[in-house]
Amino acid sequence: MRIHDVPKLGVIAGEASGDLLGAHFIAALQQSRPDLQAAGIAGPRMIKAGVKAIYPSEKLAVNGYVEVLRHLPELLWIRSRITRYFLNERPRVFVGIDAPDFNFTLEAKLKQAGIPTVHFVSPSIWAWRPERIHRIKQAVSHMLVIFPFEEEIYRGAGIPVSYVGHPLADVIPLEPDTAGARAALGLQTGPVVALLPGSRLSEVTRHARLMLEAAVRILRHHPDAQFVLPAASEAASRLIRQAGQGLDVPLHILAGQSHAALAACDVALVASGTATLEAALFKKPMVITYRVPALTAHLMRKKALLPWIGLPNILAHDFVVPERVQEDATPENLANDALAWLDDAPRRRAVVETFRGIHLSLRQDASARIAEAVAPYLAGGT
């Protein structure tokens, strides 16, 4: 086959969660297009799946108004360079995976130049900043959504949309092997608490000490408790060790392995984001927390539409798990919420059933649906 006959895919994913989704996305396309050539901004999982990385995904791992302003010159430079790259290479289709603030501007330029643009994972316009739908319509040829209620929003706005379900719901088992995960991680008997402070270094800086101080308080009531903390990178691992200085916590820092940590635990302390959904798919009671700079929090609260920030609560339309945000995010509150889960078996069983229902609703064979939606663009159609 000549190189010009090989379907070309442009792709950009930001941070660890986008890289994970992107790897599933690429694997799905490769089932029907084993000759697929893909290039763009990718993390280690996507690179392993065969994507040529022009820049690493970690360059886009910035969140919040204050943090983005600090990194804005570099982000604008990268977006300018990668836009020029795609305009020169002219892939059959461009796929933006999450990272909406970065991708939508790029997608608008590519779409205007006649390159079809598919966006995978809708930004949470149903939670805050709904006016973004107008910008999305200018930028996106086809939106792939992972939650069922999102489809109606885009269809109503006249944007081609496909509900594909969530890839993680397909790969995470309905019944997690807790005993096997504990054995694989070398954990002893007793309560296991997973600490997930986030994948971004800024998140680790804000949440690791908070969670470790909560762990100290949990130990006062459960001296046999153990704690597992998956670090997304070596830099994150160093920050975690620094945060734990002076604290006597039986902590297992893992190199990645967030799914192993969630499978093994009885309860999780989780920074708001994709990890909260992963914890729900593993049927684990959790406490959701998040801290951002005060100015960022003020601006986000003014634009919020929903009373919840955590995906499990949003999907359940209820506070099925506690949320501790900003000034409410204290070691005492996190510890008390975790202890309430550990000491109330009927409540744990009830939330597990809620999470099982969420899991089943999101398990839609996303790989097949993704390939079906993108295949016409790779074939040169619309």
Side-chain angles (χ1 to χ4, degrees):
M1 179 177 287
R2 301 191 312 274
I3 190 70
H4 296 296
D5 293 328
V6 178
K8 292 192 294 184
L9 171 73
V11 62
I12 289 180
E15 65 185 288
S17 60
D19 182 43
L20 179 61
L21 290 172
H24 287 293
F25 186 95
I26 296 298
L29 293 178
Q30 287 173 335
Q31 291 181 21
S32 58
R33 294 277 183 169
D35 56 352
L36 183 72
Q37 282 191 340
I41 297 179
R45 292 183 179 92
M46 291 173 65
I47 293 170
K48 186 176 181 181
V51 178
K52 176 185 176 183
I54 311 302
Y55 297 100
S57 285
E58 63 187 35
K59 291 289 186 180
L60 308 188
V62 182
N63 71 317
Y65 295 103
V66 176
E67 296 88 340
V68 169
L69 284 174
R70 189 161 56 243
H71 293 87
L72 189 57
E74 183 183 23
L75 290 171
L76 292 175
W77 183 84
I78 291 174
R79 189 165 64 190
S80 173
R81 294 292 297 270
I82 199 72
T83 301
R84 193 180 313 143
Y85 172 83
F86 287 132
L87 288 173
N88 289 335
E89 291 293 318
R90 298 196 65 83
R92 297 265 183 94
V93 61
F94 170 82
V95 177
I97 300 173
D98 214 355
D101 291 325
F102 186 95
N103 274 326
F104 286 149
T105 298
L106 184 151
E107 287 166 358
K109 293 180 179 178
L110 298 184
K111 184 180 178 184
Q112 188 176 22
I115 299 171
T117 57
V118 175
H119 195 87
F120 181 39
V121 185
S122 166
S124 51
I125 55 175
W126 30 266
W128 71 301
R129 290 173 60 197
E131 69 279 2
R132 287 178 289 177
I133 193 74
H134 305 296
R135 183 185 181 198
I136 293 170
K137 190 169 185 176
Q138 293 178 333
V140 175
S141 304
H142 198 129
M143 177 67 76
L144 307 183
V145 297
I146 59 177
F147 300 128
F149 60 84
E150 295 175 315
E151 194 172 18
E152 183 179 351
I153 297 172
Y154 286 96
R155 189 163 287 128
I159 299 171
V161 60
S162 299
Y163 169 54
V164 299
H166 203 297
L168 293 177
D170 294 324
V171 298
I172 293 174
L174 287 172
E175 300 297 333
D177 183 5
T178 298
R182 291 186 181 188
L185 295 177
L187 299 173
Q188 307 302 313
T189 56
V192 177
V193 180
L195 309 178
L196 287 87
S199 59
R200 305 180 182 103
L201 296 182
S202 60
E203 291 174 324
V204 174
T205 300
R206 289 193 296 267
H207 301 136
R209 181 75 184 191
L210 167 68
M211 292 182 175
L212 291 170
E213 289 183 353
V216 171
R217 289 160 174 79
I218 293 170
L219 282 167
R220 294 172 187 166
H221 297 266
H222 290 277
D224 58 343
Q226 301 162 88
F227 301 86
V228 290
L229 198 163
S233 64
E234 184 55 41
S237 181
R238 288 194 297 269
L239 286 176
I240 291 160
R241 295 183 190 281
Q242 292 171 9
Q245 289 180 358
L247 300 179
D248 187 13
V249 176
L251 179 65
H252 301 257
I253 299 177
L254 310 177
Q257 302 181 78
S258 61
H259 285 189
L262 287 169
C265 75
D266 295 293
V267 65
L269 305 182
V270 192
S272 181
T274 301
T276 64
L277 180 62
E278 292 176 280
L281 294 175
F282 275 99
K283 322 300 181 301
K284 302 300 179 175
M286 74 191 83
V287 184
I288 297 172
T289 189
Y290 213 73
R291 285 175 171 176
V292 293
L295 175 59
T296 297
H298 174 71
L299 294 171
M300 293 182 72
R301 279 171 175 161
K302 288 178 66 176
K303 294 178 178 289
L305 300 178
L306 299 178
W308 319 283
I309 66 164
L311 286 169
N313 290 339
I314 290 169
L315 291 168
H317 298 285
D318 193 10
F319 282 103
V320 295
V321 300
E323 296 181 355
R324 298 294 187 176
V325 183
Q326 292 304 99
E327 60 276 0
D328 202 32
T330 65
E332 292 80 9
N333 284 342
L334 266 62
N336 289 338
D337 289 338
L339 290 167
W341 282 122
L342 289 172
D343 299 335
D344 191 342
R347 183 173 171 232
R348 290 200 307 273
R349 288 194 292 269
V351 82
V352 164
E353 288 307 308
T354 298
F355 291 162
R356 183 171 284 108
I358 289 174
H359 196 156
L360 289 171
S361 73
L362 299 179
R363 181 173 271 209
Q364 298 290 324
D365 193 1
S367 294
R369 291 184 175 224
I370 288 168
E372 181 182 354
V374 177
Y377 298 102
L378 284 173
T382 58

